[in-house]
Amino acid sequence: HKFLPVTGVMFGFDEGRKVNLRGSSKKQDRQAVLARAQREREERQRQRQRQRSALLVQAHFRGHVVLQQLRNKARAEFDAFAARLGGPDEVNLAAFVRCAAELIR
């Protein structure tokens, strides 16, 4: 003989309130996992932002250093050219314009 399983439907228990047998501890565990995952996501986002900020500062500093080196080089070239023309009293406007044009090239 085969026995049929006894279900709540047979006795009318199917109707009405459903009881969650998982318990609130599972919900709390799930909430804790979700909260931890959110905190970790936020920390990774902060880390990416710090990395981008550091790269931006480094790039700005390198640009500043290169610009300073170019200015120093241009000044040294100008001073050398002016020295070839003679002393400051002998430098005329035409020579100055030629020097400036040479530096621009």
Side-chain angles (χ1 to χ4, degrees):
H1 289 70
K2 276 191 164 177
F3 293 102
L4 295 174
V6 178
T7 62
V9 175
M10 292 174 67
F11 297 104
F13 296 132
D14 189 35
E15 302 167 13
R17 186 175 145 225
K18 303 272 182 190
V19 177
N20 184 355
L21 299 176
R22 286 179 41 190
S24 65
S25 65
K26 295 269 185 186
K27 286 183 183 177
Q28 290 172 351
D29 290 343
R30 183 174 188 269
Q31 290 299 325
V33 168
L34 291 175
R36 187 181 75 231
Q38 178 67 25
R39 285 191 307 272
E40 290 172 356
R41 265 193 304 276
E42 290 169 355
E43 179 57 33
R44 287 190 302 270
Q45 180 62 27
R46 282 190 295 273
Q47 184 64 27
R48 283 190 294 271
Q49 182 60 39
R50 282 192 296 266
Q51 183 70 23
R52 282 191 300 265
S53 297
L55 288 175
L56 187 64
V57 168
Q58 291 169 3
H60 181 73
F61 181 76
R62 284 191 304 269
H64 176 74
V65 168
V66 168
L67 184 60
Q68 196 66 24
Q69 290 170 344
L70 287 174
R71 284 181 184 153
N72 290 342
K73 182 180 177 189
R75 178 59 193 222
E77 289 175 3
F78 178 82
D79 290 344
F81 185 77
R84 285 195 308 265
L85 294 176
D89 298 333
E90 299 175 22
V91 176
N92 62 26
L93 184 58
F96 178 78
V97 170
R98 281 194 308 274
C99 176
E102 221 178 278
L103 289 176
I104 291 173
R105 285 186 246 149

